[in-house]
Amino acid sequence: MAFISEVNFRGSGAANSGEFVEITLGPGDDPADFVVSVYDDDGTLHTGAGLAEGEVNLGDLTTGITTHPDNDDYTIYTIKIGLRNAVSDANEGSGIALTNVDTDTVISFYSADNISAFTASEGAAEGATSESILEHTDVVDGESYHWDIFGNLTYETISSNDSALCLAGDTRVHTESGALQAQDLNVGDMVWTADHGFQPIQWLGKTVLSAEYLKTNPKQQPITLTKDSLAPGVPQSDLTVSRQHRVLISSPVAQRMTGKFEVLVPAVKLLDVVGIELSVPSDGVTLVHILFERHELIAAEGALVESLMVTDHVNSKIHGVDLGDRKIDVPARLIVDKKRAKQLVSRIVKNQRPLFEPRKRHNFRMLVA
C-alpha cells in the first residue's frame, strides 16, 4: 500500500531550499517497484527540480530512508524536490506522481490547484491525468500536506508524521458490555455509535509510544482534553487522543460559520482552549485505531469522537479486512480543518460558549461508566 505521505512545497523556490516529498511503503512493498516523477505543467518530466532525470526509482535510493515512527512495518523515503502551486519554473515542478512500475499503476498524481490538471506525456506516469489539489493557501509557513497510513489528508507541521487517528489505550469507550478501555477491545465487540446504535468493530490497530520517544519527538505528543474542557461534564474524565484525531464540536457558532451545527475538528486545533493541552504520559501511551463499516461517532469518556476513516486512495483491503463498498471514506460529520478550524474555535471561545452544546439531549451518564 505505497503512497505519497507528505508534500512540502512552501519553500523558497528549489529542492535545496528544503522542499521535499515523502513516500511511505507498507509491509512487503519492494522499493524497486516504485518510481517518483516530477512534472512540468505541460506533462513533460521536469529535470531541474531536484531529480536529474525527472524521476527516481526508490530502489536506487540509499539516503533519506527511515522507519515509520508510528509503525515499524512501514518505511519512509524522503526525496528533495522543488514544487509549486502554479506554472512550473526552472527550479520547481507543478506535479508529483508515484507509480508502481511492476503493475503499471499510477498510485497518486498531484498537481497545483490554481492551474488546470494535465496529462503526463512521458515518464512512469505517462498517460495519467493529475489531480489538482496542491493549494498554497491551505498551508502556512512550517506546514505541509500529510497523508496518514489510512489515506486521511491533513495539513500539519512539516515532518510531523502524524500517521494515526487514534485513542489512548486507557480511554473508556461505551460498548454493549458497558465502558471498556480501548486497549481491551476486540474485533467483533459491539460499540455504541451516535448514528447507528451498537456496531461491531471490524479491525483494531495499536501503536505504542514510550515516554522517552515522546519527549524527544514533541510533534508526536498526544493531546489531552481534560475533564469538562468541551463543556460541563464533557468529557467526564481526561481524554487523550492523537493530534489529528477529530472531536465533535456542537455549537450555534459552527452553524453560523459552516451551516452545520455539528462538525468534526482535529484535536490539534483545540490547543488554544483552556484545559486542552499536549501531554507526555510518564509511562508512554498506547494509541488504538478502531475501524467500523462506516465512519462513526463514538463515546469516549463521554465525549463524541470519530472512529477511523479510510479514504479512497487506499486499496480496498487493509490489514486483511475487505472493505468492499463500505462508506468508510464518507465522514460522519462535516470536517473543519486548517485555518477555518482555528477561526471556529477562536469564535466559540471569544463568545464564552462551550465547544459542545448538543441540540439532541444525549444521555452522557449512559455513555461512560
Side-chain angles (χ1 to χ4, degrees):
M1 57 172 290
F3 61 98
I4 295 176
S5 51
E6 185 172 358
V7 177
N8 168 28
F9 58 104
R10 281 289 305 219
S12 60
N16 59 13
S17 71
E19 294 184 359
F20 62 87
V21 172
E22 279 187 357
I23 308 298
T24 294
L25 299 189
D29 284 336
D30 183 349
D33 290 342
F34 301 96
V35 169
V36 173
S37 310
V38 57
Y39 283 97
D40 204 320
D41 57 275
D42 65 0
T44 60
L45 289 170
H46 194 303
T47 58
L51 301 178
E53 304 299 325
E55 57 186 13
V56 65
N57 186 296
L58 296 187
D60 293 334
L61 297 179
T62 57
T63 60
I65 305 171
T66 58
T67 299
H68 202 292
D70 287 350
N71 190 323
D72 57 14
D73 289 333
Y74 293 78
T75 304
I76 294 174
Y77 292 75
T78 302
I79 306 168
K80 294 181 179 180
I81 294 175
L83 291 170
R84 65 198 315 246
N85 74 320
V87 173
S88 308
D89 62 16
N91 297 314
E92 294 181 292
S94 293
I96 187 75
L98 174 65
T99 303
N100 184 326
V101 293
D102 181 55
T103 61
D104 195 26
T105 303
V106 179
I107 298 169
S108 301
F109 186 7
Y110 303 131
S111 62
D113 175 78
N114 61 355
I115 62 173
S116 298
F118 56 86
T119 300
S121 59
E122 59 183 359
E126 181 177 358
T129 300
S130 66
E131 182 182 0
S132 51
I133 66 167
L134 300 178
E135 171 52 57
H136 203 258
T137 58
D138 282 344
V139 289
V140 299
D141 288 339
E143 291 185 340
S144 59
Y145 277 53
H146 285 254
W147 288 266
D148 67 20
I149 61 176
F150 303 104
N152 298 291
L153 171 61
T154 57
Y155 310 87
E156 191 43 42
T157 307
I158 290 171
S159 296
S160 67
N161 294 315
D162 270 326
S163 66
L165 303 177
C166 38
L167 301 168
D170 60 359
T171 300
R172 294 177 301 167
V173 175
H174 185 64
T175 77
E176 200 170 44
S177 302
L180 298 177
Q181 291 190 346
Q183 61 197 7
D184 295 330
L185 295 172
N186 295 293
V187 171
D189 283 350
M190 301 295 288
V191 174
W192 181 87
T193 69
D195 299 323
H196 302 104
F198 290 98
Q199 292 292 314
I201 295 173
Q202 300 293 313
W203 175 82
L204 283 165
K206 296 181 182 180
T207 300
V208 179
L209 302 178
S210 68
E212 292 73 19
Y213 176 84
L214 292 173
K215 289 175 183 176
T216 56
N217 294 272
K219 294 173 184 175
Q220 290 289 307
Q221 292 172 4
I223 291 172
T224 295
L225 289 71
T226 59
K227 181 178 181 292
D228 302 327
S229 57
L230 297 176
V234 185
Q236 276 201 348
S237 301
D238 291 358
L239 166 64
T240 298
V241 298
S242 61
R243 298 165 71 92
Q244 293 297 333
H245 200 111
R246 289 179 281 252
V247 178
L248 186 75
I249 302 300
S250 180
S251 170
V253 180
Q255 178 79 55
R256 290 194 294 271
M257 280 189 63
T258 70
K260 300 293 184 181
F261 197 87
E262 295 182 338
V263 298
L264 287 166
V265 174
V268 71
K269 301 300 183 183
L270 306 179
L271 286 173
D272 290 338
V273 177
V274 174
I276 299 179
E277 55 199 23
L278 293 171
S279 62
V280 181
S282 60
D283 54 352
V285 64
T286 297
L287 298 174
V288 181
H289 328 267
I290 304 175
L291 180 75
F292 298 97
E293 287 198 5
R294 308 175 186 86
H295 189 229
E296 301 280 9
L297 297 178
I298 64 174
E301 300 295 351
L304 293 178
V305 302
E306 69 172 337
S307 66
L308 188 61
M309 185 168 74
V310 178
T311 63
D312 58 8
H313 93 244
V314 180
N315 294 334
S316 62
K317 289 189 177 183
I318 184 170
H319 297 285
V321 178
D322 189 351
L323 302 183
D325 296 325
R326 300 173 191 172
K327 300 299 183 182
I328 307 173
D329 61 340
V330 177
R333 295 294 185 277
L334 175 69
I335 294 172
V336 180
D337 205 343
K338 303 176 287 184
K339 296 178 183 178
R340 201 177 188 198
K342 297 206 73 170
Q343 291 170 349
L344 169 60
V345 173
S346 177
R347 289 187 188 181
I348 294 174
V349 172
K350 183 177 180 180
N351 289 325
Q352 297 183 321
R353 301 190 74 106
L355 295 176
F356 190 81
E357 300 181 58
R359 287 186 295 183
K360 297 177 181 179
R361 289 187 59 84
H362 293 290
N363 183 353
F364 284 95
R365 288 179 181 157
M366 179 194 75
L367 300 182
V368 295

